[in-house]
Amino acid sequence: MIRFEQVGKRYASGQDALVDLSFEIDAGEMVFVTGHSGAGKSTLLKLIGLVERPTRGQLVVNHADLARVRRGGIAHARRGIGMVFQDHRLLMDRTVFDNVALPLLIAGTAREEIGKRVRAALDKVGLLAKEKAAPATLSSGEQQRVGIARAIVAKPPVIIADEPTGNLDPQLSAEIMGLFAEFGQVGTTVLVASHDLMLVRRLGKRVLVLDHGRLIDDFRPESARPGR
Ligand code: ADP
Ligand code: ADP
């Protein structure tokens, strides 16, 4: 589902953000990426989301070789990827419903279908009652859940989340991570970057550890082994 083969990313500044990175993630796996600030977590997710392009190696996501995706094909390739951000990036002048509907509008989904899918996504994150609300009236945990509903509404095979609990207290963080774990159970591949190693450890999932752009550990607890 996701395969990095000796991937490198050097920014125009000359900074090597990722060096010789190789790993594979199966469909339906939930994996954390951790490491100190500047270790390359954001860059790794940005390569998958086609926000940045690799400068070396091969990167395959959803069976597509990302190095071969041309500029004109980026929007299409991104439809297979749901993105969640730390600051959730909601449109504050639109309702919760409209925010979640956005990816479907972009994809040209039929009107009746949009209503159904948006409500299904809001139901999954426990916010069905808030569809007409303005995001500003929601708590930060609820706002983040709207961001997650928006990421899953088009049923992408891959979800990437960059520090999705960075602004939340420990209990809300655990709730949000629990949501991601549920998506993993229905076959969605979930990749979450977090510097919160304690939180990540507690969930008992596979953890990729980056240090100065290099993969220094690929930790799989027993329960996270394939076939269990
Ligand atoms: P993390 O998410 O783990 O904090 P990043 O992927 O954001 O790490 O950054 C990895 C390294 O790449 C850091 O040294 C950072 O300063 C650098 N970096 C990130 N984005 C850019 C950019 N657009 N241009 C130049 N250097 C960058
Ligand atoms: P994120 O971790 O989400 O990338 P940051 O605050 O690290 O957020 O970076 C904000 C923006 O600045 C991003 O677009 C990132 O790529 C860029 N950036 C980060 N580090 C550097 C750097 N050393 N030089 C240039 N741009 C950078």
Side-chain angles (χ1 to χ4, degrees):
M1 187 49 72
I2 297 175
R3 193 170 79 241
F4 277 64
E5 243 178 75
Q6 297 179 305
V7 169
K9 172 64 183 178
R10 175 174 293 174
Y11 284 107
S13 63
Q15 174 71 42
D16 280 311
L18 295 174
V19 183
D20 197 22
L21 198 58
S22 300
F23 62 88
E24 242 178 272
I25 297 176
D26 292 335
E29 249 193 295
M30 180 175 184
V31 178
F32 286 95
V33 182
T34 191
H36 294 294
S37 175
K41 304 181 295 294
S42 279
T43 301
L44 191 162
L45 295 189
K46 284 175 182 171
L47 294 184
I48 295 171
L50 284 145
V51 178
E52 294 286 352
R53 311 301 294 269
T55 41
R56 293 198 63 152
Q58 203 193 24
L59 173 48
V60 178
V61 178
N62 294 337
H63 309 290
D65 179 352
L66 294 196
R68 289 171 184 265
V69 174
R70 307 268 183 111
R71 262 178 187 280
I74 288 179
H76 183 263
R78 273 195 197 141
R79 279 189 210 161
I81 307 192
M83 298 192 219
V84 176
F85 309 93
Q86 174 172 2
D87 54 357
H88 51 71
R89 304 193 191 174
L90 300 178
L91 303 174
M92 290 309 203
D93 58 344
R94 309 279 178 89
T95 62
V96 164
F97 182 100
D98 287 348
N99 269 280
V100 177
L102 210 58
L104 300 178
L105 286 173
I106 292 168
T109 308
R111 223 169 203 293
E112 321 78 68
E113 183 72 13
I114 290 182
K116 249 190 281 174
R117 296 258 210 118
V118 169
R119 292 195 182 96
L122 284 173
D123 191 28
K124 277 212 186 90
V125 300
L127 286 179
L128 202 45
K130 302 277 187 181
E131 63 171 277
K132 295 198 180 73
T137 66
L138 304 180
S139 70
S140 41
E142 286 172 334
Q143 290 179 359
Q144 189 54 290
R145 283 191 275 150
V146 175
I148 293 171
R150 182 184 54 192
I152 62 168
V153 74
K155 299 188 180 168
V158 175
I159 294 175
I160 55 179
D162 195 355
E163 300 282 356
T165 63
N167 294 322
L168 305 178
D169 65 38
Q171 195 190 332
L172 283 176
S173 299
E175 270 178 45
I176 294 289
M177 292 303 190
L179 264 180
F180 284 117
E182 280 178 33
F183 303 141
Q185 280 161 15
V186 296
T188 307
T189 307
V190 184
L191 196 55
V192 180
S194 173
H195 67 274
D196 189 347
L197 195 54
M198 293 286 277
L199 178 65
V200 166
R201 281 266 160 85
R202 269 207 303 277
L203 286 157
K205 305 283 183 188
R206 180 176 170 195
V207 184
L208 301 174
V209 185
L210 293 177
D211 183 37
H212 292 90
R214 292 172 192 275
L215 185 63
I216 59 163
D217 199 4
D218 183 348
F219 176 74
R220 286 171 192 258
E222 274 302 311
S223 58
R225 295 258 153 80
R228 297 184 57 121

